[in-house]
């Protein structure tokens, strides 16, 4: 054990004297801290703006004057997606997904106003976040420190004497590994600090801990890869060039190539495409605005029979309101079916993307990180589903008011005169059917279970290279 | 030794250089992959548009049963608008994953429709596609760095440096020649697939030529940077890390911080405000006296000012007038939103002068018509088309023309202007 600690201490001493390692680490820390600060400011401003918009939208809706309830169905409502607390570390999809959805009767709208679509365009790599810095640059710093670990002694001819002094190869490697581990933990301090700010914003400690664990595994993997290389090559230059090559292939090239493959293999039909298919199907459902639509003949016959009356006017409820309720329900079933299909398509595409994490751990960590932070595709879908649930509930609430509080006779004659317009109005108290909305991340256990697939891949990567690393440690040769 | 022999020797040496051959193969493979995927993506986007044109038309025909007058025709008829990928889009898909390139709009207030975003999986947008512009802008410099950083240092460690310096007639020209061979070899591997793909996609010759020229200039720029640093009397690792540092700063740090700064300094009206204002304007109109709607409407369309709205009944004229007035009321905000985005892009164009990777990517996107300007042009086309729809229907409404389903065949059709421009 003492030998291992001694090797680790020596390694630290060497790093402290090396300008390159020291400089790299300092630049990295400055970069990660400044990005964290800037990102936190941005996310906080967004959170504030979006929750204010949400309250304002709810207040305006509830403050609408007395009117025909169906007018409110078309008046509609807005929901805004507040960023997850851990978005200050990994904003994930927040930037490229729409922040608000307009909710109205008879339609499911897309999420609008993604920040990226109005942002200054500097190309692919300019969405810098603390998470991306860890995924992209931390491996580079680790390579910078670790690439010379054993090959350095080998080049200087010192490995013979070290090994003849009774130090075994595996202890030497473990010592270097220990030094690197301690360095990685230091690298991760800004992550912990940033995430603690998320705790102040409502996140749990365990989420921070799991995020820390995931990044520890990822960086450890790179450390092990780098040390393994350093143990088997004979020239420092070779180690550095090869590791740098590996770094940009893994972090830069493979993830986007995987995107190409996934979108090519499993294309997802766009909303307009599916909407048109849906419209074709929906034509049989009947237009909820038109109570004479033959699609409602059955409803009409049933109701007349149920209440034993001859005319729609004699029903205890407004037939037009009932038609609107029934049409909305049928339509929503179809809309949801299509929406589910679209989301399933996206999830399938994403799954293909995640499978490529077998080729590059940087894809694995990016998915784990987004899932744990609550900024992944699952959460974007969650937002859409919650918005839809809210839409359906307030639209049906309004339709109920339409059926119960507006008389059928007034309703069909509403366009006759100013006075008939007045008669079909219901009191603004009915607008309280609108529920308050706040987007919240899923529970941690849900988030962990989404991340499990990619997490497992990451851990298998780590395990595989750990074995390779230890194996080469036993066989280390001068 | 004659100059010719000198070059020939060096070529022979390079032909045996396994590192160089490996990277040439990698670049050739990646370039083919990127243009291949680009071509297939463009193909599928064109296919989507073709299919949409058909099903959009079918939907309009199927909905005809609902139409009983001009007003209901305007209300129920949706129209497809789209922005076809240009002949060079395969090389730089740019904003097409981020900005909408297809809409289905109708005669209602446009502001409520134009911000709909029918874009794909956000994970795809976030990670970004591996297209040619990404390869050339971000990966090519790294390949050049790896190939050139130890031009001298490797010979120094191999112990051949002094020998080479003393045997070469002009030592400096040896390193220059070696660098030149490496750069040209890699650039060729990068550009050959592009040219083939361009020929296949029938890209405009000038576009292809300018793209190749700027990519070459970019490769030369990075080679010069690497060449200068490789002359530095430091160890190979210091040179390599310095070069990668320069890459990181120009490819990531400057663009990312510039994005933050530009977004912060050029304020935009929030999209939510535009939508809310538009909705309030349209919905309030139901409860306002009709004159309150018709007056601002007639200001824009004095030719219909003779029209006398009925006092209380529902009229399509009034309905569509308040839709338009809704747009009029949000005009200032919507313009500010557009101008703000244009200004952000304008500043980004200047800032990218100090971030060459962004500069190249932006230039390729602009050649491919996939940059912000192109999506802004598309948005203007949609607005113009919507205006045409209004111009088609308004005379029918206000002149009380008899409803004629056959005339619906002569509805304005959207023509993608970008389609013509390569």
């Amino acid at each position: 054990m003492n030998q291992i600690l001694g090797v680790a201490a020596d390694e630290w001493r060497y790093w402290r004297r090396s300008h390159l390692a020291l400089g790299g680490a300092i630049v990295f820390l400055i970069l990660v801290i400044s990005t964290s600060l800037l990102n936190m400011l941005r996310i906080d401003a967004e959170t504030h703006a979006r929750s204010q918009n949400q309250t304002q939208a709810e207040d305006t809706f509830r403050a609408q004057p007395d009117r025909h309830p169906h007018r409110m169905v078309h008046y509609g409502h807005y929901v805004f997606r507040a960023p997850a607390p851990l978005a200050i570390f990994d904003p994930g999809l927040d930037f490229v997904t729409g922040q608000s959805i307009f909710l109205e009767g008879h339609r499911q709208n897309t999420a609008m106003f993604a920040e990226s679509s109005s942002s200054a365009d500097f190309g692919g790599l300019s969405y810098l976040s603390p998470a991306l810095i860890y995924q992209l640059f931390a491996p580079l710093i680790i390579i910078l420190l670790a690439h010379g670990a054993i090959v350095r002694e080998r080049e200087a001819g010192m490995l013979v004497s070290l090994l003849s002094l009774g130090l075994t190869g595996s202890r030497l490697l473990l010592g270097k590994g220990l030094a690197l581990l301690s360095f990685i933990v230091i690298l991760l301090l800004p992550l912990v600090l940033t995430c603690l700010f998320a705790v102040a914003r409502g996140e749990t400690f365990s989420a921070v801990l799991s995020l820390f664990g995931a990044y520890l595994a990822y960086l450890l993997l790179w450390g092990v890869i780098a040390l393994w290389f350093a143990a088997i090559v004979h020239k420092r230059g070779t180690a550095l060039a090869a590791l740098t090559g590996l770094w940009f292939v893994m972090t830069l090239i493979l993830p986007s190539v995987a995107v190409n493959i996934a979108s090519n293999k499993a294309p997802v039909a766009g909303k307009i495409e599916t909407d048109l298919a849906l419209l074709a199907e929906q034509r049989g459902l009947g237009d909820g605005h038109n109570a004479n639509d033959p699609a409602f003949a059955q409803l009409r016959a049933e109701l007349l029979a149920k209440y034993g009356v001859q005319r729609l006017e004699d029903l205890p409820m407004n037939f037009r309101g009932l038609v609107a309720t029934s049409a909305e329900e049928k339509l929503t079933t179809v809309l949801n079916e299509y929406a589910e299909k679209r989301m399933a398509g996206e999830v399938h595409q994403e799954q293909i993307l995640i499978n490529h994490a077998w080729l590059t751990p940087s894809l694995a960590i990016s998915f784990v990180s987004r899932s744990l932070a609550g900024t992944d595709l699952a959460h974007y879908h969650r937002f859409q589903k919650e918005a839809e649930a809210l839409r359906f509930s307030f639209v049906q609430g309004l339709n109920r008011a339409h059926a119960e509080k507006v008389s059928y006779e007034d309703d069909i004659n509403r366009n006759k005169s100013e006075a008939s317009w007045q008669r079909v109005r219901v009191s603004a108290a009915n607008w309280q059917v609108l529920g308050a909305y706040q987007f919240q991340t899923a529970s941690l256990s849900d988030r962990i279970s989404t991340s499990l697939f990619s997490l497992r891949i990451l851990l298998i990567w780590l395990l595989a290279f750990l074995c390779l690393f230890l194996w080469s440690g036993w066989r280390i040769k001068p | 030794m004659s100059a010719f022999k000198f070059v020939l020797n060096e070529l022979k040496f390079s032909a045996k250089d396994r590192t160089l051959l490996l990277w040439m193969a990698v670049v050739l493979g990646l370039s083919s992959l990127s243009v291949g995927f680009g071509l297939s993506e463009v193909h599928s986007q064109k296919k989507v548009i073709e299919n949409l044109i058909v099903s959009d038309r079918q939907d309009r025909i199927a909905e005809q049963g609902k139409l009983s007058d001009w007003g209901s025709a305007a209300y129920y008829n949706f129209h497809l608008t789209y922005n076809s990928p240009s002949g060079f889009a395969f090389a730089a898909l740019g904003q097409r994953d981020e900005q909408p390139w297809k809409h289905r709009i109708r005669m209602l207030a446009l502001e409520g429709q134009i911000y709909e975003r029918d874009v794909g999986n956000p994970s795809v947008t976030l990670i970004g596609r591996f297209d040619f512009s990404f390869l050339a802008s971000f990966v090519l410099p790294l390949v050049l760095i790896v190939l050139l950083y130890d031009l001298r240092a490797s010979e120094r460690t191999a112990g051949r440096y002094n020998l080479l310096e003393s045997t070469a007639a002009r030592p400096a020209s040896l390193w220059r020649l070696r660098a030149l061979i490496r750069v040209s070899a890699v650039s060729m591997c990068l550009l050959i697939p592009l040219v083939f793909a361009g020929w296949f996609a029938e890209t405009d010759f000038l576009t292809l030529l300018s793209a190749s020229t700027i990519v070459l200039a970019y490769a030369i720029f990075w080679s010069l940077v690497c060449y200068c640093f490789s002359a530095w009397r430091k160890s190979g690792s210091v040179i390599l890390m310095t070069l990668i540092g320069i890459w990181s700063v120009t490819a990531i740090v400057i663009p990312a911080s510039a994005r933050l700064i530009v977004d912060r300094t050029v304020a935009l009206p929030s999209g939510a405000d535009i939508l809310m204002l538009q909705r309030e304007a349209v919905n309030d109109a139901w409860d306002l006296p009709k004159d309150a709607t018709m007056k601002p409407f007639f200001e824009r369309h004095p030719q219909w000012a003779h029209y006398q709205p009925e006092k209380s009944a529902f009229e399509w004229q009034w309905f569509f007038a308040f839709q338009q007035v809704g747009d009029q009321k949000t005009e200032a905000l919507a313009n500010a939103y557009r101008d703000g985005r244009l200004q952000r892009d304008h500043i980004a164009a200047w800032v990218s002068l100090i971030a060459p990777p962004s500069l190249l990517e932006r230039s390729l996107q602009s050649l491919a018509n996939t940059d912000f300007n192109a999506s802004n042009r598309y948005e203007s086309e949609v607005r113009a088309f919507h205006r045409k729809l209004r111009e088609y229907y308004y005379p029918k409404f206000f002149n009380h023309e008899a409803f004629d389903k056959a005339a619906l065949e002569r509805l304005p059709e959207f023509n993608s202007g970008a389609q013509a421009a390569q």
Side-chain angles (χ1 to χ4, degrees):
Chain A
M1 193 62 206
N2 275 340
Q3 275 185 333
I4 298 179
L5 285 178
V7 172
D10 271 344
E11 196 67 9
W12 266 103
R13 209 166 298 133
Y14 173 76
W15 287 340
R16 276 213 309 276
R17 273 182 316 207
S18 144
H19 293 297
L20 194 59
L22 211 63
I26 290 174
V27 168
F28 176 83
L29 288 177
I30 293 175
L31 193 61
V32 85
I33 290 170
S34 53
T35 311
S36 301
L37 275 175
L38 286 174
N39 194 51
M40 191 156 22
L41 286 176
R42 190 178 73 80
I43 294 287
D44 278 350
E46 279 296 309
T47 310
H48 180 71
R50 293 186 209 167
S51 68
Q52 211 171 28
N53 280 336
Q54 188 64 65
T55 325
Q56 196 201 340
E58 281 159 13
D59 291 349
T60 358
F61 186 93
R62 296 193 186 117
Q64 290 304 300
D66 300 355
R67 51 167 72 128
H68 190 288
H70 199 74
R71 283 270 322 280
M72 289 304 285
V73 168
H74 284 281
Y75 180 73
H77 177 50
Y78 286 93
V79 280
F80 293 86
R81 177 175 52 78
L86 272 174
I88 57 174
F89 174 73
D90 189 350
L93 301 181
D94 182 83
F95 203 59
V96 293
T97 48
Q99 308 157 358
S100 68
I101 304 184
F102 178 51
L103 309 177
E104 58 181 325
H106 334 318
R107 270 173 78 84
Q108 285 181 355
N109 293 313
T110 53
M112 292 183 274
F113 297 109
E115 253 187 291
S116 60
S117 53
S118 62
S119 176
D121 177 31
F122 286 97
L125 294 175
S126 56
Y127 304 130
L128 204 53
S129 66
L132 192 66
I133 292 186
Y134 275 105
Q135 293 163 20
L136 208 62
F137 289 127
L140 197 60
I141 300 300
I142 290 170
I143 289 172
L144 190 62
L145 258 81
H147 79 274
I150 288 159
V151 70
R152 185 177 74 233
E153 280 93 353
R154 184 178 283 137
E155 263 186 351
M158 288 195 2
L159 206 51
V160 191
S161 47
L162 278 175
L163 292 177
S164 60
L165 283 174
L167 189 68
T168 62
S170 53
R171 281 192 198 147
L172 182 64
L173 269 189
L174 284 179
K176 306 262 180 189
L178 188 67
L180 202 56
L181 176 69
S182 56
F183 176 73
I184 289 173
V185 172
I186 295 178
L187 277 191
L188 285 171
L189 287 180
L191 175 147
V192 176
L193 211 66
T194 312
C195 292
L196 287 181
F197 279 101
V199 171
R201 286 158 179 76
E203 190 51 86
T204 59
F205 268 112
S206 348
V208 176
L209 216 62
S210 8
L211 207 58
F212 174 79
Y215 276 91
L216 185 65
Y218 173 68
L219 296 187
L220 216 54
L221 168 65
W222 273 103
V224 171
I225 293 178
L227 279 183
W228 174 65
F229 248 89
I232 56 168
V233 295
H234 288 269
K235 271 193 284 178
R236 278 185 78 170
T238 321
L240 189 61
L243 284 168
T244 310
L246 190 72
W247 166 74
F248 77 76
V249 169
M250 292 254 200
T251 55
L252 217 59
I253 297 179
L254 287 178
S256 4
V257 171
V259 161
N260 282 354
I261 297 174
S263 67
N264 194 277
K265 244 195 204 167
V268 180
K271 179 142 191 315
I272 298 180
E273 242 175 314
T274 47
D275 274 0
L276 279 166
L278 181 150
L279 281 168
E281 180 175 333
Q282 185 202 325
R283 253 167 231 128
L285 294 181
D287 177 2
H289 289 134
N290 179 6
N292 294 322
D293 195 304
F296 304 114
Q298 197 194 347
L299 179 70
R300 176 198 193 107
E302 273 171 21
L303 281 168
L304 290 178
K306 185 177 168 194
Y307 291 97
V309 291
Q310 300 297 315
R311 301 180 323 145
L312 290 172
E313 285 86 338
D314 300 330
L315 284 174
M317 284 160 298
N318 180 352
F319 180 63
R320 285 173 50 88
L322 294 175
V323 162
T325 312
S326 143
E328 192 70 41
E329 194 182 320
K330 280 190 198 160
L331 175 64
T332 303
T333 315
V334 180
L335 286 175
N336 283 344
E337 201 182 294
Y338 275 81
E340 294 281 345
K341 230 190 277 173
R342 188 169 41 80
M343 288 184 212
E346 284 178 3
V347 169
H348 175 60
Q349 193 179 58
E350 176 135 301
Q351 187 56 48
I352 293 179
L353 197 54
I354 297 178
N355 285 339
H356 288 82
W358 291 112
L359 297 179
T360 163
S362 93
L363 261 183
I365 185 65
S366 73
F367 280 106
V368 174
S369 173
R370 283 202 286 277
S371 297
L372 291 177
T375 53
D376 59 348
L377 187 68
H379 279 81
Y380 184 50
H381 286 166
R382 180 186 165 92
F383 170 59
Q384 292 172 3
K385 286 177 194 159
E386 284 181 353
E388 171 52 27
L390 182 71
R391 183 195 79 84
F392 187 65
S393 104
F394 87 78
V395 168
Q396 290 303 60
L398 292 168
N399 282 337
R400 203 174 315 121
H402 188 181
E404 291 167 1
K405 296 180 181 155
V406 181
S407 97
Y408 181 70
E409 225 161 343
D410 290 343
D411 208 12
I412 48 174
N413 293 319
R414 67 192 182 284
N415 284 339
K416 290 250 164 77
S417 69
E418 192 63 36
S420 57
W421 259 115
Q422 295 295 338
R423 269 199 298 278
V424 290
R425 296 185 175 206
V426 303
S427 129
N430 290 291
W431 313 154
Q432 303 300 321
V433 290
L434 181 75
Y437 181 73
Q438 200 199 349
F439 179 67
Q440 269 167 345
T441 49
S443 71
L444 181 62
S445 57
D446 282 356
R447 284 185 265 159
I448 289 179
S449 69
T450 346
S451 72
L452 221 52
F453 186 80
S454 5
L455 193 63
R456 215 175 291 145
I457 299 181
L458 184 63
L459 292 179
I460 290 173
W461 267 94
L462 180 59
L463 210 67
F465 271 93
L466 215 54
C467 292
L468 212 59
F469 169 70
L470 292 176
W471 182 64
S472 55
W474 278 312
R475 302 158 25 102
I476 205 161
K477 284 197 195 86
Chain B
M1 194 161 61
S2 76
F4 177 70
K5 241 181 140 183
F6 178 56
V7 173
L8 205 66
N9 273 342
E10 202 43 42
L11 274 176
K12 274 188 201 153
F13 173 78
S14 300
K16 281 190 220 128
D17 183 352
R18 271 190 294 173
T19 326
L20 177 62
L21 292 180
L22 171 78
W23 283 112
M24 280 172 71
V26 168
V27 171
L28 187 68
L30 288 177
S31 180
S32 315
L33 204 66
S34 70
V35 295
F37 277 120
L39 284 173
S40 110
E41 177 61 26
V42 164
H43 175 76
S44 71
Q45 289 190 1
K46 282 187 176 156
K47 198 97 204 146
V48 165
I49 292 175
E50 264 171 43
N51 291 342
L52 281 179
I53 292 174
V54 174
S55 44
D56 169 70
R57 205 182 152 70
Q58 279 171 349
D59 180 69
R60 247 196 325 277
I61 293 167
E63 294 286 308
Q64 277 203 356
K66 278 188 187 169
L67 315 182
S68 50
D69 48 17
W70 289 115
S72 54
Y75 185 84
Y76 285 110
N77 271 331
F78 279 87
H79 302 265
L80 181 73
T81 66
Y82 54 89
N83 177 14
S84 299
S86 73
F88 190 57
F90 71 88
L93 287 154
Q95 301 276 311
R96 291 184 77 84
D97 278 321
E98 214 159 86
Q99 309 278 9
W101 46 268
K102 50 191 192 288
H103 283 90
R104 261 193 114 212
I105 56 160
R106 53 175 166 169
M107 265 275 283
L108 299 187
L110 183 60
E111 290 301 322
Q113 309 174 64
I114 202 158
Y115 304 111
E116 287 278 329
R117 274 175 98 237
D118 181 18
V119 290
N121 193 341
S123 299
V124 166
T125 317
L126 183 73
I127 302 173
R129 283 173 202 280
F130 190 77
D131 59 5
F132 180 82
S133 70
F134 181 80
L135 173 67
S137 314
F138 295 99
V139 179
L140 175 70
L142 286 169
V143 174
L144 291 175
I145 288 173
V146 170
L147 275 177
L148 298 178
Y149 82 97
D150 65 347
L151 208 57
R152 290 184 178 86
S154 67
E155 295 295 356
R156 213 174 279 142
T157 39
R160 288 194 300 248
Y161 183 77
N162 289 333
L163 181 74
L164 282 167
E165 284 264 296
S166 54
T167 49
R170 291 172 303 268
S173 64
L174 170 74
W175 306 119
R176 250 178 261 150
L177 180 66
R178 190 169 285 184
L180 189 70
I181 289 175
R182 291 187 174 187
V183 176
S184 344
V186 169
S187 309
M188 248 174 30
C189 291
L190 181 75
L191 288 175
I192 286 173
L194 180 79
V195 172
F196 268 105
W199 172 68
F200 178 78
E202 294 170 0
T203 312
D204 175 53
F205 176 72
L206 261 176
T207 309
L208 206 55
L209 189 70
S210 9
S212 310
T213 314
I214 53 176
V215 170
L216 264 181
Y218 183 70
I220 291 170
F221 164 77
W222 275 102
S223 312
L224 285 176
V225 172
C226 296
Y227 184 79
C228 294
F229 275 91
S230 74
W232 207 10
R233 292 207 153 259
K234 288 265 183 189
S235 76
S237 36
V238 174
I239 297 175
L240 178 60
M241 281 302 143
T242 311
L243 286 170
I244 289 195
I246 294 175
W247 177 86
S248 307
V249 169
T250 52
I252 301 176
V253 178
I254 294 179
S257 28
R259 183 196 281 274
L260 281 175
I261 296 168
V262 173
D263 287 358
R264 204 156 261 254
T265 41
V266 183
L268 278 190
S270 102
D273 287 347
I274 302 178
L275 290 180
M276 297 270 225
L277 181 65
Q278 185 269 141
R279 174 184 69 163
E280 296 307 315
V282 168
N283 275 280
D284 286 351
W286 285 96
D287 300 321
L288 293 172
K290 284 186 176 174
D291 279 344
T293 296
M294 298 319 281
K295 223 178 127 221
F297 178 79
F298 290 146
E299 273 166 22
R300 289 286 171 97
H301 297 282
Q303 67 268 45
W304 314 121
H306 58 82
Y307 183 80
Q308 291 289 324
E310 274 187 55
K311 205 119 182 76
S312 64
F314 174 86
E315 288 172 298
W316 285 114
Q317 290 89 338
W318 165 66
F319 176 82
F320 285 108
F322 70 64
Q323 296 291 333
Q324 170 164 348
V325 172
D327 280 348
Q328 280 170 217
K329 283 195 179 150
T330 35
E331 212 166 43
L333 265 186
N335 285 344
Y337 186 67
R338 184 201 57 209
D339 294 343
R341 287 189 296 164
L342 278 172
Q343 202 193 340
R344 283 181 176 182
D345 191 63
H346 188 68
I347 298 176
W350 280 102
V351 175
S352 69
L353 288 178
I354 55 164
S358 288
L359 182 64
L360 178 67
E361 196 170 46
R362 289 179 56 93
S363 317
L364 290 176
Q365 286 176 6
S366 130
L367 281 175
N369 253 318
T370 53
D371 58 350
F372 177 72
N373 281 321
S375 52
N376 186 54
R377 265 199 304 278
Y378 164 66
E379 199 181 301
S380 321
E381 280 172 21
V382 176
R383 286 180 190 281
F385 174 67
H386 194 261
R387 225 172 7 251
K388 258 203 243 162
L389 279 179
R390 281 178 168 154
E391 282 159 12
Y392 176 85
Y393 280 112
Y394 285 161
K396 315 256 185 263
F397 296 157
F398 290 101
N399 293 337
H400 299 285
E401 285 183 26
F403 183 55
D404 173 16
K405 274 194 182 170
L408 289 178
E409 285 296 310
R410 292 189 292 278
L411 269 173
E413 264 183 49
F414 181 81
N415 289 310
S416 174
Q419 211 171 1
Q422 286 277 317

